[in-house]
Amino acid sequence: DADVTQTPRNRITKTGKRIMLECSQTKGHDRMYWYRQDPGLGLRLIYYSFDVKDINKGEISDGYSVSRQAQAKFSLSLESAIPNQTALYFCATSDFLGGDTQYFGPGTRLTVL
Amino acid sequence: QKEVEQNSGPLSVPEGAIASLNCTYSDRGSQSFFWYRQYSGKSPELIMFIYSNGDKEDGRFTAQLNKASQYVSLLIRDSQPSDSATYLCAVTGNQFYFGTGTSLTVIP
C-alpha cells in the first residue's frame, strides 16, 4: 500500500462549488504539506502543518483552507472554486528527525469549469 | 527574485553522456538541499539530498553543494533514456522551496 494517499485522484467541478481534497499517510511523519503544480510555475506551497495543532500559510494560501484532523490526515478545501485553481495538487509528508525529506502522494488533478 | 532558480531547459544529452543540472538559491540560511525527479503526470520522487559542502555520490548520481556560491548541482553519469524527466531542486529555509525544474531528455 502507498505510504501517502490522496483522494480523489481526479475531480471536475464548477465555479463556486466547495471542494475538499484529502490526504492520508502511514509513514508516521509529523509534518504534512499541500502544494499545487502549474505548468512553468513548479511546485508552490499552499499550507503546511508541523503537528496537529500547527497550521501555517505557504506562498499561495488565498482561496484555500486546511484541516489537520489527526497526525495522519491533512485536508485541503477550496471554499468557492474558481477556474484559476485548476491544477495538479500534491500532498507531501516529512519527518524533522529524518532530515525533512518530503515524500509525495500521487496527486489530485482538479479542473474547475 | 525567486528563492530557487533552475534553468528550465530542455536539456538534451546522448545516452551514456553526463547530464549536468544546476540550481541556485537566495537564502544563505538554507540548510538542506534536495533533488527530485518527476515524470510527466507523476509525483516527485527523491533522488538524493545533501547538507554539507562538497560532493555526495549515490550510484550514477552526484550532488554538489557550494554554500558560499549558493549553488547546488546534480550530475547524472552514464545517462539512460529512463532518466528523461523533469528534475526539481528543493531547498529548506523558513519554508520548503522548489525550483521550477529542468526538463532532461536522454537521446538513445
Side-chain angles (χ1 to χ4, degrees):
Chain A
D1 289 338
D3 294 321
V4 185
T5 58
Q6 292 182 234
T7 56
R9 294 292 312 279
N10 289 282
R11 182 71 183 268
I12 300 173
T13 191
K14 295 182 178 180
T15 297
K17 293 292 188 181
R18 184 178 187 273
I19 296 295
M20 179 180 285
L21 309 183
E22 297 185 334
C23 177
S24 295
Q25 54 114 346
T26 58
K27 298 185 75 67
H29 288 171
D30 49 358
R31 300 181 170 191
M32 299 186 73
Y33 310 79
W34 275 105
Y35 292 90
R36 64 176 281 175
Q37 189 172 39
D38 301 273
L41 295 178
L43 283 163
R44 292 183 292 166
L45 184 63
I46 306 172
Y47 272 96
Y48 61 103
S49 169
F50 284 174
D51 65 41
V52 174
K53 296 181 179 180
D54 176 76
I55 301 290
N56 303 283
K57 292 183 177 181
E59 181 184 355
I60 53 162
S61 59
D62 288 347
Y64 301 95
S65 63
V66 291
S67 174
R68 185 83 182 265
Q69 300 96 322
Q71 187 192 31
K73 296 184 181 295
F74 193 34
S75 301
L76 176 72
S77 294
L78 287 68
E79 297 301 326
S80 179
I82 56 177
N84 77 0
Q85 291 177 314
T86 293
L88 185 56
Y89 289 83
F90 288 106
C91 173
T93 74
S94 72
D95 179 1
F96 176 73
L97 294 178
D100 241 355
T101 300
Q102 295 200 359
Y103 297 89
F104 287 81
T108 294
R109 187 167 294 281
L110 177 65
T111 302
V112 183
L113 301 176
Chain B
Q1 181 185 4
K2 291 184 178 180
E3 297 285 341
V4 180
E5 301 261 14
Q6 294 181 255
N7 290 329
S8 61
L11 173 66
S12 294
V13 299
E15 184 175 355
I18 296 174
S20 177
L21 305 163
N22 304 314
C23 172
T24 58
Y25 60 94
S26 61
D27 182 1
R28 284 193 172 275
S30 299
Q31 298 179 340
S32 304
F33 307 86
F34 303 83
W35 283 101
Y36 286 83
R37 176 175 62 199
Q38 187 177 25
Y39 294 110
S40 180
K42 302 296 185 182
S43 57
E45 54 181 346
L46 180 72
I47 297 174
M48 62 192 308
F49 57 85
I50 185 168
Y51 302 141
S52 303
N53 276 329
D55 295 358
K56 179 181 180 182
E57 186 174 318
D58 184 0
R60 296 187 295 113
F61 299 95
T62 299
Q64 300 173 318
L65 175 61
N66 183 326
K67 290 186 177 181
S69 300
Q70 295 175 248
Y71 175 90
V72 59
S73 65
L74 180 70
L75 301 178
I76 306 174
R77 291 182 299 280
D78 188 24
S79 295
Q80 300 297 308
S82 59
D83 294 326
S84 298
T86 297
Y87 290 80
L88 303 171
C89 172
V91 173
T92 56
N94 293 327
Q95 294 183 7
F96 208 95
Y97 294 102
F98 281 86
T100 54
T102 298
S103 176
L104 172 67
T105 300
V106 180
I107 302 168

